[in-house]
Amino acid sequence: RKEVEQDPGPFNVPEGATVAFNCTYSNSASQSFFWYRQDCRKEPKLLMSVYSSGNEDGRFTAQLNRASQYISLLIRDSKLSDSATYLCVVNPPGNTPLVFGKGTRLSVIA
Amino acid sequence: NAGVMQNPRHLVRRRGQEARLRCSPMKGHSHVYWYRQLPEEGLKFMVYLQKENIIDESGMPKERFSAEFPKEGPSILRIQQVVRGDSAAYFCASSLVGLAGVLHTQYFGPGTRLTVL
């Protein structure tokens, strides 16, 4: 089982749609979780951290289910500018590097 | 407060030449991470360094690749005798404190795109 797995997509959605991305991780002792966004040919940028209680930032909602080792990102009212690749990122236990998923590509269409 | 800086942004080398990639972390950050991203692929961790120390190089090929982060100056990723398969985007990230099992955000530089002819 891969350490961090994501559906690669692409997800093609119309403006205004709600879209959800899922991510699973293999190490149950992982301690912290993030969603990063990467635009084409650009560097990854932190979108939001993911907390056990779930957290929301404007149109974006992140949730964590430790029992199922599952992380989600919900985007409401999609904008054209949301088009990007969304990376699920997990911090395993101990002094080990962050593990990045391969990303889910989103295209928001006018 | 400048972000993570990398140079050059684009680098072209012929097979067999050396490539040197530089990364200056964000001000106050003493931990640097290097990643490689092949076209249409995810980010692959290569190496994690603190000032003058390599903490984890488990993702770095044993041959031809080396990294350093001296007391003064930027971190350097060095690739000797480059081959076509080394063509990729190389991203550097920095954080305020090491991973050490604690939540710490990594900030990425714009990357260096290496093309090997």
Side-chain angles (χ1 to χ4, degrees), chain B:
Chain B
N1 190 9
V4 179
M5 300 177 70
Q6 289 187 249
N7 67 81
R9 296 289 302 275
H10 300 274
L11 182 62
V12 179
R13 285 288 179 266
R14 295 191 181 279
R15 280 180 296 169
Q17 291 184 319
E18 178 180 287
R20 278 184 179 241
L21 287 61
R22 286 176 289 278
C23 169
S24 296
M26 282 182 73
K27 187 177 181 180
H29 288 191
S30 59
H31 297 255
V32 164
Y33 315 83
W34 284 94
Y35 296 83
R36 177 164 65 176
Q37 188 171 35
L38 295 168
E40 305 302 319
E41 293 287 324
L43 283 166
K44 295 295 185 188
F45 166 78
M46 298 181 74
V47 62
Y48 161 33
L49 310 103
Q50 294 178 30
K51 286 283 188 181
E52 301 185 276
N53 287 309
I54 295 175
I55 305 302
D56 184 338
E57 55 182 347
S58 59
M60 198 153 69
K62 295 287 186 285
E63 296 179 353
R64 302 189 299 108
F65 286 72
S66 62
E68 62 176 7
F69 189 15
K71 188 177 181 181
E72 301 292 338
S75 175
I76 306 285
L77 178 68
R78 184 182 176 205
I79 311 172
Q80 295 177 289
Q81 299 175 322
V82 296
V83 301
R84 289 214 173 113
D86 296 333
S87 295
Y90 291 83
F91 290 101
C92 167
S94 72
S95 69
L96 193 58
V97 182
L99 294 167
V102 183
L103 178 71
H104 290 291
T105 303
Q106 289 185 7
Y107 296 91
F108 282 82
T112 294
R113 276 167 182 77
L114 172 65
T115 301
V116 180
L117 302 178

Side-chain angles (χ1 to χ4, degrees), chain A residues 48-49 51 53-63 74 76:
Chain A
M48 58 197 304
S49 302
Y51 303 119
S53 54
N55 47 298
E56 189 174 307
D57 183 0
R59 298 181 293 107
F60 299 83
T61 301
Q63 293 198 310
L74 183 77
R76 290 181 299 278

Side-chain angles (χ1 to χ4, degrees), chain A residues 82-101:
Chain A
D82 294 333
S83 298
T85 296
Y86 290 83
L87 306 173
C88 177
V89 184
V90 173
N91 184 8
N95 195 12
T96 53
L98 295 180
V99 180
F100 285 76

